Amino acid sequence: MVAVVADVDALLGLASELARRAGELLLAEAPDRADDVSTKSSRTDMVTAVDVASEALIVGAIERERPDDGVLGEEGSNRDGTSGVRWIIDPLDGTTNYLYGFPMFAVSIAVEVDGDVEAGAVFHPSLDELFTARRGGGAQCNGHPIQVSGHDDLATALIGTGFAYDADMRRTQGRWLERILPSVRDIRRGGAAALDLCWVACGRLDGFYEAGLAPWDFAAGALIAREAGADTSAFDGGPMRAGSVLAASPAIAPPLRRLVSEAATL
Ligand code: IPD
Ligand code: CA
Ligand code: CA
């Protein structure tokens, strides 16, 4: 198979521009955010008209600029392309926060080339922070290089996590937490996985783990964390996958993997 030749800088530029434009739409629509809410996988899994409008803005622009590319978006966009490039989109990560006026929400856009994530952009409109990375090119926040915390002691590490919408899964995640919470400095549940990963990347968290995430939740953020120096994997140390996402400062990652794996067997 002939490898796809792609201008990754141009792809990252488009991802960044669209993440910003969609994030501005989220901010502009925020006063009306309580209107037009429905639910998806469970009573607590909400979707707003704004999630859908944000995805339409992003996907519409990709279709105009790059009609041969594939797309996978949380709100239903799913198209195989012919170019070898695929866009993985969470048009509003942190919908619950958004609805409550809690400022942790973001737009996440990753670009895969031949099945590998090559570029990612996560825009956090409330703080006007655009996190970006391209594979092998480091990670940036608003154009400035960022790095993981470098913290090396799990017992004093600040760890982010999140919980699924499914009640049974949440019960399990709560049990894990009972084991994990006393073994770390503290736990944060920010409510937007893409931002959790970017906050590992810039040292606001020492590590993050979550079970049950979908590709659009972590594709861009995981690249950004890795490019900022994080050790990224599944809980068992294998390649990160939907359902098993862990990212941490390098010295924290092995003991955090052990702790999460141990918690999962209890
Ligand atoms: C959710 C957020 C949350 C995480 C959930 C995700 P959504 O995404 O990232 O932090 O704990 O697992 O589903 O539904 O707000 O896009
Ligand atoms: Ca999400
Ligand atoms: Ca979402």
Side-chain angles (χ1 to χ4, degrees):
M1 191 177 118
V2 181
V4 175
V5 179
D7 179 347
V8 179
D9 283 332
L11 294 171
L12 179 57
L14 182 57
S16 302
E17 181 201 323
L18 295 178
R20 258 194 188 282
R21 275 174 47 198
E24 279 153 17
L25 172 85
L26 300 184
L27 274 189
E29 297 295 324
D32 303 321
R33 64 188 152 232
D35 298 348
D36 217 347
V37 183
S38 45
T39 55
K40 296 193 284 186
S41 64
S42 77
R43 282 178 61 198
T44 54
D45 183 4
M46 296 173 289
V47 57
T48 69
V50 186
D51 293 77
V52 175
S54 173
E55 184 157 312
L57 181 157
I58 297 164
V59 173
I62 293 167
E63 280 171 354
R64 278 193 304 279
E65 304 239 348
R66 302 191 49 95
D68 299 332
D69 291 357
V71 289
L72 174 67
E74 180 176 10
E75 305 311 335
S77 306
N78 191 351
R79 195 187 65 226
D80 290 332
T82 53
S83 65
V85 173
R86 186 170 75 141
W87 299 73
I88 303 175
I89 302 153
D90 191 336
L92 167 46
D93 185 39
T95 296
T96 307
N97 287 342
Y98 183 75
L99 276 165
Y100 278 79
F102 193 96
M104 291 291 284
F105 58 86
V107 178
S108 175
I109 304 179
V111 195
E112 248 180 22
V113 181
D114 266 349
D116 292 320
V117 177
E118 293 287 344
V122 174
F123 182 53
H124 184 186
S126 311
L127 291 185
D128 191 27
E129 288 184 333
L130 176 69
F131 293 91
T132 50
R134 58 164 294 178
R135 190 154 70 97
Q140 299 80 34
C141 178
N142 290 345
H144 303 293
I146 51 172
Q147 279 201 320
V148 293
S149 69
H151 197 72
D152 62 3
D153 173 33
L154 183 62
T156 54
L158 188 61
I159 303 297
T161 191
F163 308 117
Y165 290 114
D166 174 72
D168 287 335
M169 183 70 184
R170 293 166 84 83
R171 201 167 293 118
T172 303
Q173 288 170 323
R175 272 202 310 272
W176 297 6
L177 210 50
E178 202 178 323
R179 170 74 186 88
I180 294 166
L181 185 54
S183 304
V184 299
R185 181 190 296 280
D186 207 349
I187 289 286
R188 293 288 179 269
R189 195 287 194 251
L195 284 180
D196 290 324
L197 287 160
C198 292
W199 282 26
V200 170
C202 70
R204 293 176 187 156
L205 291 170
D206 298 308
F208 167 75
Y209 74 93
E210 185 166 345
L213 292 177
W216 43 77
D217 295 311
F218 69 87
L223 175 72
I224 292 165
R226 196 174 314 127
E227 287 297 325
D231 179 333
T232 62
S233 70
F235 303 155
D236 61 6
M240 185 181 274
R241 57 181 184 271
S244 188
V245 169
L246 185 146
S249 221
I252 299 287
L256 181 60
R257 276 195 285 269
R258 275 196 296 280
L259 182 62
V260 174
S261 301
E262 193 187 302
T265 59
L266 292 178

